[in-house]
């Protein structure tokens, strides 16, 4: 009686099972996979955050498919601080970046049509696509002293059914930003074929060298949807506040906005208290990002210090985001290695295949892990891998 699109394999993978067993046995472990910023020991201005949710204006219902204008103006202000011009009229508020993806997929794709996604990348895409009846086709990112888009493979992956190319800027977990030369090529490819660029910028503010990468919100060279939100920018995933910005050739943009307006009007999913609090929640990003960047830089320096003392493991170049990719000896599968690291040595890491790495020999660790744990966890990983 269920739709085929929900025929997912629900059996937990071996690593999840090992983690559940480890937890059930009450055994401690160092978690190098943490991604929930609210559980990583960062300080938030709790009083101000809660206070912002008590706005009396929330007692009135003011439905607007794009979301409350005050909130959209605050989002436009976030881009203005980055020296990018966005009109509040081109912004739709959503409850998550995932919801923004679903609006975009619904706007662009009929069932069975295709979107290109980078590989390696973030594992949620498969579910988002299944739910929207969209097929995903992967294009590789190549690593050669840094990550880059394999444009030859990307072009080969385009078929008459392709409706858009997703870029994650910077990508999770590889941490590479889309370079301006890559943006130019992407625009040429997409505009020539009438397909859209879909840019996920949730980690845009987290550049390791402190530089400010250009956002896709000001990209007019191709039909473009840019997605971001407060989960990462302000470290507030529980507030469910995100957005979608439309840019591109004027006539296409007007039509895209009109179609999105119908989708957004059908759900009107953003709630009033959170929308009214968005200006304050955006303020929170300054303190949050400072703490995150300081932890990421410290953990990266510690990782490099420990890596310098051995030869078995190296790390790939990282430009931004919250993760490091380790290249490890491929003497067994990454999943077997991750299970052994957890069960026998009390350290949780993500195997590369979780992020669709093309072959064995990669582990992903989170820089959000507090410093002492990070240092101990990495030391354990390197000791085990030194014996492989
Ligand atoms: C690249 C990327 N996009 C989107 C998200 C999810 O964002 P949201 O909480 O707004 O759905 C994540 C979460 O890890 C992510 O890594």
């Amino acid at each position: 009686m269920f739709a085929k699109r929900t025929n997912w394999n629900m059996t937990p993978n071996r690593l999840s099972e090992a983690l559940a067993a480890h937890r059930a046995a009450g055994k401690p472990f160092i978690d190098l996979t943490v991604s929930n910023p609210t559980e990583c020991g960062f300080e938030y201005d709790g009083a101000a955050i809660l206070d912002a949710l008590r706005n009396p204006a929330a007692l009135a219902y003011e439905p607007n498919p794009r979301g409350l204008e005050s909130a959209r103006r605050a989002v436009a202000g976030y881009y203005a601080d980055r020296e990018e011009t966005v009109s509040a009229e081109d912004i739709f508020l959503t409850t998550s970046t995932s919801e923004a993806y679903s609006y975009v997929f619904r706007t662009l794709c009929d069932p069975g049509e295709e979107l290109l996604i980078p590989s390696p990348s973030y594992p949620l895409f498969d579910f988002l696509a299944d739910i929207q009846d969209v097929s995903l086709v992967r294009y590789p990112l190549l690593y050669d002293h840094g990550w880059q888009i394999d444009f030859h493979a990307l072009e080969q992956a385009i078929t008459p059914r392709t409706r858009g190319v997703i870029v994650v800027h910077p990508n999770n977990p590889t941490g590479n930003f889309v370079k301006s030369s890559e943006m130019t090529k992407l625009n040429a490819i997409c505009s020539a074929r009438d397909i859209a660029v879909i840019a996920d910028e949730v980690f845009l503010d987290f550049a390791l060298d402190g530089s400010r990468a250009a956002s896709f919100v000001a990209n007019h060279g191709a039909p473009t949807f840019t997605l971001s939100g407060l989960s990462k920018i302000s470290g507030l995933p529980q507030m469910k506040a995100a957005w979608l910005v439309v840019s591109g050739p004027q006539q296409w943009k007007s039509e895209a906005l009109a179609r999105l307006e119908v989708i957004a009007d059908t759900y009107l999913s953003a709630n009033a208290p959170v929308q009214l609090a968005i200006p304050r929640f955006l303020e929170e990003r300054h303190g949050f990002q400072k703490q995150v960047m300081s932890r990421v830089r410290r953990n990266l320096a510690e990782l490099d210090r420990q890596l310098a003392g051995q030869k078995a493991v190296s790390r790939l170049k990282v430009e931004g985001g919250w993760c490091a990719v380790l290249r490890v000896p491929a003497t067994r599968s990454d999943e077997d290695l991750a299970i052994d690291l957890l069960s026998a040595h009390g350290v949780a890491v993500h195997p590369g295949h979780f992020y669709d790495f093309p072959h064995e020999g990669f582990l992903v660790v989170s820089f959000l892990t507090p410093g002492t744990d990070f240092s101990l966890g990495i030391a354990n990983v390197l000791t085990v891998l030194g014996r492989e």
Side-chain angles (χ1 to χ4, degrees):
M1 67 173 285
F2 296 109
K4 288 192 200 70
R5 77 169 75 80
T6 61
N7 281 349
W8 293 297
N9 177 1
M10 310 278 190
T11 43
N13 64 46
R14 290 191 305 124
L15 180 57
S16 312
E17 274 175 337
L19 195 56
H22 202 88
R23 285 204 166 105
K27 293 192 201 157
F29 66 96
I30 295 174
D31 195 353
L32 295 182
T33 70
V34 290
S35 62
N36 178 350
T38 66
E39 291 181 349
C40 293
F42 296 119
E43 278 179 26
Y44 293 85
D45 188 342
I49 290 170
L50 293 176
D51 211 40
L53 290 167
R54 294 175 48 84
N55 190 327
L59 293 173
Y61 183 36
E62 223 186 282
N64 182 330
R66 283 174 168 73
L68 289 180
E69 193 179 336
S70 57
R72 286 183 286 117
R73 281 188 189 283
V75 173
Y78 158 75
Y79 288 106
D81 287 351
R82 300 183 55 89
E83 292 168 13
E84 314 262 11
T85 307
V86 176
S87 159
E89 286 310 295
D90 298 337
I91 298 172
F92 286 82
L93 300 182
T94 61
T95 55
S96 62
T97 314
S98 300
E99 188 179 58
Y101 272 118
S102 77
Y103 286 13
V104 173
F105 291 6
R106 282 320 226 181
T107 306
L108 290 175
C109 301
D110 283 317
E113 289 188 327
E114 294 166 0
L115 292 169
L116 304 195
I117 61 163
S119 171
S121 194
Y122 162 67
L124 203 69
F125 288 127
D126 290 301
F127 292 99
L128 286 169
D130 284 352
I131 294 167
Q132 314 299 328
D133 298 331
V134 169
S135 297
L136 297 179
V137 177
R138 284 159 164 84
Y139 65 89
L141 301 180
L142 296 177
Y143 188 80
D144 181 15
H145 305 288
W147 292 95
Q148 50 190 291
I149 295 173
D150 180 343
F151 277 102
H152 177 68
L154 189 152
E155 287 196 86
Q156 301 273 306
I158 294 174
T159 75
R161 291 182 301 283
T162 308
R163 291 289 164 264
V165 179
I166 295 176
V167 289
V168 185
H169 178 50
N171 191 35
N172 176 12
T174 55
N176 55 305
F177 286 89
V178 179
K179 310 298 173 300
S180 70
S181 59
E182 292 181 314
M183 239 190 215
T184 307
K185 267 193 200 165
L186 205 55
N187 279 346
I189 292 170
C190 290
S191 60
R193 293 167 177 80
D194 255 351
I195 61 179
V197 176
I198 303 158
D200 178 331
E201 297 188 341
V202 297
F203 290 109
L204 187 68
D205 293 341
F206 300 94
L208 268 162
D209 64 1
S211 63
R212 192 183 279 159
S215 163
F216 276 84
V217 288
N219 187 40
H220 301 288
T224 304
F225 299 95
T226 304
L227 286 54
S228 191
L230 296 185
S231 291
K232 311 288 190 262
I233 285 179
S234 296
L236 295 171
Q238 75 278 35
M239 296 305 173
K240 309 308 294 176
W243 57 83
L244 160 60
V245 182
V246 185
S247 61
Q250 194 52 48
Q251 201 187 334
W252 172 85
K253 191 171 101 174
S254 307
E255 201 165 319
L257 289 171
R259 286 165 191 254
L260 273 168
E261 188 168 313
V262 176
I263 294 178
D265 198 28
T266 305
Y267 293 104
L268 292 169
S269 55
N271 72 70
V274 166
Q275 291 185 76
L276 289 163
I278 282 177
R280 179 61 193 81
F281 291 171
L282 273 166
E283 283 301 304
E284 191 64 22
R285 77 183 189 276
H286 302 293
F288 173 72
Q289 292 182 6
K290 215 185 214 173
Q291 295 174 70
V292 170
M293 289 321 299
S294 141
R295 184 172 300 176
V296 168
R297 291 192 182 109
R298 241 184 301 124
N299 282 343
L300 177 60
E302 172 61 13
L303 174 63
D304 285 346
R305 190 190 66 77
Q306 293 198 29
L307 288 174
Q310 52 81 63
K311 290 211 166 67
V313 181
S314 57
R315 79 161 166 87
L316 303 193
K317 193 173 163 202
V318 55
E319 296 165 356
W322 296 357
C323 292
V325 179
L326 304 181
R327 203 193 309 255
V328 300
T331 47
R332 48 184 157 160
S333 80
D334 294 345
E335 187 171 44
D336 283 341
L337 174 59
I339 291 171
D340 181 47
L341 283 169
L342 176 69
S343 309
H345 307 279
V347 190
V349 297
H350 274 144
H353 80 80
F354 185 75
Y355 294 94
D356 204 20
F357 274 78
H359 53 80
E360 304 294 342
F362 298 99
L363 296 180
V364 176
V365 296
S366 168
F367 284 134
L368 291 197
T369 306
T372 315
D373 275 3
F374 185 84
S375 177
L376 276 172
I378 293 295
N380 275 3
V381 170
L382 296 187
T383 304
V384 174
L385 287 168
R387 294 192 214 116
E388 289 282 299

